[in-house]
PDB file of all heavy atoms in Angstrom:
ATOM      1  N   ILE I 186     -13.066-123.528 -54.975  1.00 82.00           N
ATOM      2  CA  ILE I 186     -12.013-122.756 -55.583  1.00 82.00           C
ATOM      3  C   ILE I 186     -11.016-122.383 -54.455  1.00 82.00           C
ATOM      4  O   ILE I 186     -11.435-121.656 -53.551  1.00 82.00           O
ATOM      5  CB  ILE I 186     -12.428-121.553 -56.360  1.00 82.00           C
ATOM      6  CG1 ILE I 186     -13.342-121.938 -57.537  1.00 82.00           C
ATOM      7  CG2 ILE I 186     -11.259-120.665 -56.864  1.00 82.00           C
ATOM      8  CD1 ILE I 186     -13.898-120.813 -58.356  1.00 82.00           C
ATOM      9  N   LEU I 187      -9.767-122.900 -54.531  1.00 85.00           N
ATOM     10  CA  LEU I 187      -8.864-122.756 -53.383  1.00 85.00           C
ATOM     11  C   LEU I 187      -7.663-121.990 -53.881  1.00 85.00           C
ATOM     12  O   LEU I 187      -7.168-122.146 -54.988  1.00 85.00           O
ATOM     13  CB  LEU I 187      -8.398-124.136 -52.884  1.00 85.00           C
ATOM     14  CG  LEU I 187      -9.567-125.100 -52.539  1.00 85.00           C
ATOM     15  CD1 LEU I 187      -8.994-126.502 -52.275  1.00 85.00           C
ATOM     16  CD2 LEU I 187     -10.310-124.614 -51.369  1.00 85.00           C
ATOM     17  N   LYS I 188      -7.127-121.155 -52.970  1.00 87.00           N
ATOM     18  CA  LYS I 188      -5.846-120.506 -53.193  1.00 87.00           C
ATOM     19  C   LYS I 188      -4.715-121.474 -52.898  1.00 87.00           C
ATOM     20  O   LYS I 188      -4.687-122.063 -51.777  1.00 87.00           O
ATOM     21  CB  LYS I 188      -5.782-119.199 -52.439  1.00 87.00           C
ATOM     22  CG  LYS I 188      -6.689-118.131 -52.806  1.00 87.00           C
ATOM     23  CD  LYS I 188      -6.501-116.826 -52.036  1.00 87.00           C
ATOM     24  CE  LYS I 188      -7.215-116.995 -50.639  1.00 87.00           C
ATOM     25  NZ  LYS I 188      -8.721-117.055 -50.771  1.00 87.00           N
ATOM     26  N   VAL I 189      -3.823-121.692 -53.813  1.00 90.00           N
ATOM     27  CA  VAL I 189      -2.801-122.765 -53.687  1.00 90.00           C
ATOM     28  C   VAL I 189      -1.426-122.131 -53.922  1.00 90.00           C
ATOM     29  O   VAL I 189      -1.270-121.103 -54.682  1.00 90.00           O
ATOM     30  CB  VAL I 189      -3.024-123.953 -54.552  1.00 90.00           C
ATOM     31  CG1 VAL I 189      -4.328-124.633 -54.182  1.00 90.00           C
ATOM     32  CG2 VAL I 189      -3.084-123.500 -55.993  1.00 90.00           C
ATOM     33  N   ARG I 190      -0.420-122.724 -53.355  1.00 92.00           N
ATOM     34  CA  ARG I 190       0.964-122.321 -53.586  1.00 92.00           C
ATOM     35  C   ARG I 190       1.890-123.541 -53.747  1.00 92.00           C
ATOM     36  O   ARG I 190       1.569-124.651 -53.042  1.00 92.00           O
ATOM     37  CB  ARG I 190       1.508-121.545 -52.395  1.00 92.00           C
ATOM     38  CG  ARG I 190       0.636-120.220 -52.129  1.00 92.00           C
ATOM     39  CD  ARG I 190       0.827-119.132 -53.213  1.00 92.00           C
ATOM     40  NE  ARG I 190       0.204-117.911 -52.883  1.00 92.00           N
ATOM     41  CZ  ARG I 190      -1.045-117.711 -53.322  1.00 92.00           C
ATOM     42  NH1 ARG I 190      -1.731-118.543 -54.092  1.00 92.00           N
ATOM     43  NH2 ARG I 190      -1.621-116.565 -53.011  1.00 92.00           N
ATOM     44  N   SER I 191       2.858-123.460 -54.572  1.00 90.00           N
ATOM     45  CA  SER I 191       3.750-124.621 -54.734  1.00 90.00           C
ATOM     46  C   SER I 191       5.109-124.302 -54.056  1.00 90.00           C
ATOM     47  O   SER I 191       5.329-123.167 -53.539  1.00 90.00           O
ATOM     48  CB  SER I 191       3.994-124.859 -56.235  1.00 90.00           C
ATOM     49  OG  SER I 191       4.705-123.731 -56.816  1.00 90.00           O
ATOM     50  N   ASN I 192       5.970-125.259 -54.026  1.00 87.00           N
ATOM     51  CA  ASN I 192       7.377-125.051 -53.515  1.00 87.00           C
ATOM     52  C   ASN I 192       8.096-124.220 -54.567  1.00 87.00           C
ATOM     53  O   ASN I 192       7.766-124.108 -55.771  1.00 87.00           O
ATOM     54  CB  ASN I 192       8.061-126.407 -53.287  1.00 87.00           C
ATOM     55  CG  ASN I 192       7.341-127.193 -52.186  1.00 87.00           C
ATOM     56  OD1 ASN I 192       6.930-126.584 -51.163  1.00 87.00           O
ATOM     57  ND2 ASN I 192       7.238-128.465 -52.330  1.00 87.00           N
ATOM     58  N   LYS I 193       9.241-123.702 -54.133  1.00 81.00           N
ATOM     59  CA  LYS I 193      10.062-122.835 -55.007  1.00 81.00           C
ATOM     60  C   LYS I 193      10.536-123.650 -56.203  1.00 81.00           C
ATOM     61  O   LYS I 193      10.768-123.157 -57.284  1.00 81.00           O
ATOM     62  CB  LYS I 193      11.200-122.225 -54.258  1.00 81.00           C
ATOM     63  CG  LYS I 193      10.778-121.120 -53.221  1.00 81.00           C
ATOM     64  CD  LYS I 193      11.982-120.567 -52.538  1.00 81.00           C
ATOM     65  CE  LYS I 193      11.574-119.458 -51.557  1.00 81.00           C
ATOM     66  NZ  LYS I 193      12.751-118.880 -50.894  1.00 81.00           N
ATOM     67  N   GLU I 194      10.829-124.955 -55.936  1.00 81.00           N
ATOM     68  CA  GLU I 194      11.421-125.801 -56.982  1.00 81.00           C
ATOM     69  C   GLU I 194      10.365-126.216 -58.052  1.00 81.00           C
ATOM     70  O   GLU I 194      10.713-126.746 -59.122  1.00 81.00           O
ATOM     71  CB  GLU I 194      12.001-127.041 -56.359  1.00 81.00           C
ATOM     72  CG  GLU I 194      13.118-126.817 -55.392  1.00 81.00           C
ATOM     73  CD  GLU I 194      12.704-126.363 -54.040  1.00 81.00           C
ATOM     74  OE1 GLU I 194      11.476-126.510 -53.790  1.00 81.00           O
ATOM     75  OE2 GLU I 194      13.483-125.832 -53.304  1.00 81.00           O
ATOM     76  N   GLN I 195       9.124-126.038 -57.779  1.00 86.00           N
ATOM     77  CA  GLN I 195       7.978-126.447 -58.695  1.00 86.00           C
ATOM     78  C   GLN I 195       7.136-125.331 -59.132  1.00 86.00           C
ATOM     79  O   GLN I 195       6.940-124.336 -58.402  1.00 86.00           O
ATOM     80  CB  GLN I 195       7.163-127.496 -57.977  1.00 86.00           C
ATOM     81  CG  GLN I 195       7.794-128.919 -57.940  1.00 86.00           C
ATOM     82  CD  GLN I 195       6.807-129.910 -57.363  1.00 86.00           C
ATOM     83  OE1 GLN I 195       6.065-129.688 -56.398  1.00 86.00           O
ATOM     84  NE2 GLN I 195       6.701-131.098 -58.006  1.00 86.00           N
ATOM     85  N   SER I 196       6.570-125.511 -60.252  1.00 89.00           N
ATOM     86  CA  SER I 196       5.459-124.581 -60.773  1.00 89.00           C
ATOM     87  C   SER I 196       4.553-125.361 -61.644  1.00 89.00           C
ATOM     88  O   SER I 196       4.935-126.383 -62.190  1.00 89.00           O
ATOM     89  CB  SER I 196       6.089-123.386 -61.479  1.00 89.00           C
ATOM     90  OG  SER I 196       6.775-123.831 -62.666  1.00 89.00           O
ATOM     91  N   PHE I 197       3.312-124.876 -61.708  1.00 91.00           N
ATOM     92  CA  PHE I 197       2.331-125.610 -62.446  1.00 91.00           C
ATOM     93  C   PHE I 197       1.605-124.677 -63.418  1.00 91.00           C
ATOM     94  O   PHE I 197       1.638-123.472 -63.177  1.00 91.00           O
ATOM     95  CB  PHE I 197       1.265-126.271 -61.510  1.00 91.00           C
ATOM     96  CG  PHE I 197       1.920-127.281 -60.524  1.00 91.00           C
ATOM     97  CD1 PHE I 197       2.159-126.810 -59.214  1.00 91.00           C
ATOM     98  CD2 PHE I 197       2.217-128.546 -60.853  1.00 91.00           C
ATOM     99  CE1 PHE I 197       2.797-127.634 -58.250  1.00 91.00           C
ATOM    100  CE2 PHE I 197       2.806-129.389 -59.889  1.00 91.00           C
ATOM    101  CZ  PHE I 197       3.081-128.972 -58.618  1.00 91.00           C
TER     102      PHE I 197
END
Side-chain angles (χ1 to χ4, degrees):
I186 296 177
L187 308 171
K188 290 182 282 293
V189 296
R190 302 289 184 266
S191 66
N192 296 320
K193 292 183 179 180
E194 298 78 15
Q195 282 187 316
S196 63
F197 304 98

